Amino acid sequence: MTTEENYLTRNGHSTWYQVHGAEQPGTPLIVLHGGPGFPHNALRTHIALAERGYPVVLYDQLGCGKSDRPDDPSLWTVEFFVEELEALRQHLGYEVVNLIGGSWGGSLLFEYALKYPQYVHKLVAHSPLVDTHLWVAEADRLKDELPDGQGVRMRELERRGETEGEEYTRLSDLFDDHFVLRVPKDQDVLDAIAGMGAQVYHTMWGPSEAHATGNLKDWSVLDRLSQISQPTLLVSGRYDEATPRQMQEIVRRIPDIRWELFEHSSHSANLEEPEKFLRVVGEFLGEKGT
């Protein structure tokens, strides 16, 4: 299986991408990473899906990983990243694609499918963010599950705006260990952390997974999900920061949807239950992505 690596140049900036199995005849699968601003590395598990007969495209959204990092916070908007994805589809010459996106990548997946439905065949939404107020409310509830009352301290620091010190970083890491990734970090995860685009993350989201202060703080796609017409697979974990309550709101809105809850996972089922993840996603996409 071939691997091709190159850059999309758009508006003077370069976006890195990699295509696995470009020679495969099936419907291409484009992988949308989360964050915003956490690059593709932890999603390299998805490369194995190319064995089912279709190209798999990984890319680093502008501002992180191997892509350019312009020092311009005004760039980092939902609309910008939707158009970057559309430019990548056109650049690769794909008439129709399947999309898989996790967390913020799931937000981007829905926004793209709503704006460009004619180019999308199937959707795989992995623990997607669909409503920031609901996400933050659920994250605040999850803080009560942290040991020794440390969620109370986390809230206190957030109320006081003290989110840049060592104590808050430690508490944020503790939250992540419970609700984002419950297995040891492998090299791909470490590479994703090292390649993080901090300006993108802080501009769009905020200081931690559990505290939104950026331009996504009032974002929601809930009232538009009924317009999603593509067959959709929803994947999430039992211990996920994208909680079952949030996933239920998605399931009752999208007409053609199936939800697979991973009982031993949090926010990273592809790393926590990788064999099952690849099987479930592969079966949904079908041979050659059809």
Side-chain angles (χ1 to χ4, degrees):
M1 187 168 57
T2 61
T3 299
E4 301 176 3
E5 191 171 317
N6 212 325
Y7 289 88
L8 160 71
T9 300
R10 175 172 170 261
N11 298 330
H13 304 306
S14 295
T15 297
W16 174 91
Y17 67 88
Q18 190 177 68
V19 183
H20 298 267
E23 72 282 3
Q24 307 273 40
T27 304
L29 175 67
I30 301 182
V31 181
L32 314 181
H33 66 69
F38 278 85
H40 77 283
N41 308 75
L43 303 179
R44 289 182 53 79
T45 48
H46 297 17
I47 294 170
L49 292 166
E51 297 173 2
R52 289 182 170 264
Y54 43 83
V56 173
V57 181
L58 302 174
Y59 78 106
D60 288 339
Q61 296 157 28
L62 197 71
C64 71
K66 298 182 179 181
S67 294
D68 286 352
R69 301 191 186 203
D71 183 11
D72 185 357
S74 70
L75 290 174
W76 315 130
T77 65
V78 171
E79 295 74 19
F80 177 88
F81 288 112
V82 167
E83 294 309 318
E84 178 185 48
L85 175 55
E86 169 57 8
L88 180 63
R89 182 198 65 81
Q90 292 184 28
H91 175 78
L92 293 171
Y94 297 151
E95 292 185 8
V96 177
V97 297
N98 293 321
L99 299 176
I100 180 169
S103 197
W104 147 252
S107 314
L108 179 57
L109 169 150
F110 287 132
E111 289 280 10
Y112 181 87
L114 288 165
K115 184 168 185 179
Y116 296 108
Q118 67 272 32
Y119 303 135
V120 182
H121 179 49
K122 290 182 178 180
L123 299 171
V124 180
H126 178 191
S127 303
L129 163 72
V130 291
D131 183 279
T132 302
H133 288 293
L134 179 58
W135 181 286
V136 171
E138 286 292 276
D140 199 55
R141 181 183 62 79
L142 290 175
K143 291 170 192 170
D144 290 332
E145 300 181 20
L146 296 177
D148 303 321
Q150 294 182 87
V152 174
R153 178 60 176 165
M154 195 172 183
R155 287 194 196 96
E156 180 183 352
L157 292 172
E158 289 167 353
R159 283 196 300 268
R160 290 159 50 177
E162 298 175 8
T163 57
E164 297 184 1
E166 290 184 9
E167 183 181 12
Y168 187 79
T169 297
R170 178 185 62 79
L171 293 170
S172 177
D173 289 345
L174 179 67
F175 183 94
D176 291 354
D177 289 343
H178 280 73
F179 307 115
V180 179
L181 179 65
R182 294 164 67 93
V183 298
K185 297 179 178 68
D186 64 13
Q187 189 58 52
D188 284 337
V189 174
L190 295 174
D191 288 344
I193 293 170
M196 172 193 176
Q199 186 184 89
V200 182
Y201 185 79
H202 294 140
T203 299
M204 295 188 72
W205 187 250
S208 77
E209 288 295 283
H211 191 48
T213 58
N215 61 34
L216 285 172
K217 67 181 184 296
D218 297 316
W219 176 85
S220 178
V221 74
L222 278 181
D223 62 354
R224 293 175 282 151
L225 288 179
S226 61
Q227 302 170 38
I228 296 290
S229 59
Q230 293 87 353
T232 301
L233 172 65
L234 178 65
V235 171
S236 69
R238 171 67 66 186
Y239 308 101
D240 203 329
E241 61 177 340
T243 58
R245 179 189 171 198
Q246 296 173 72
M247 300 304 99
Q248 289 164 357
E249 293 296 324
I250 301 170
V251 169
R252 68 188 189 89
R253 285 171 167 82
I254 296 179
D256 185 359
I257 191 167
R258 170 194 162 194
W259 179 23
E260 186 78 26
L261 182 65
F262 283 66
E263 293 291 343
H264 306 290
S265 294
S266 58
H267 199 52
S268 307
N270 65 303
L271 300 173
E272 295 163 302
E273 298 180 68
E275 293 181 4
K276 180 182 178 182
F277 182 90
L278 290 172
R279 174 177 57 79
V280 169
V281 173
E283 289 174 355
F284 171 75
L285 293 175
E287 296 301 319
K288 298 185 180 179
T290 58

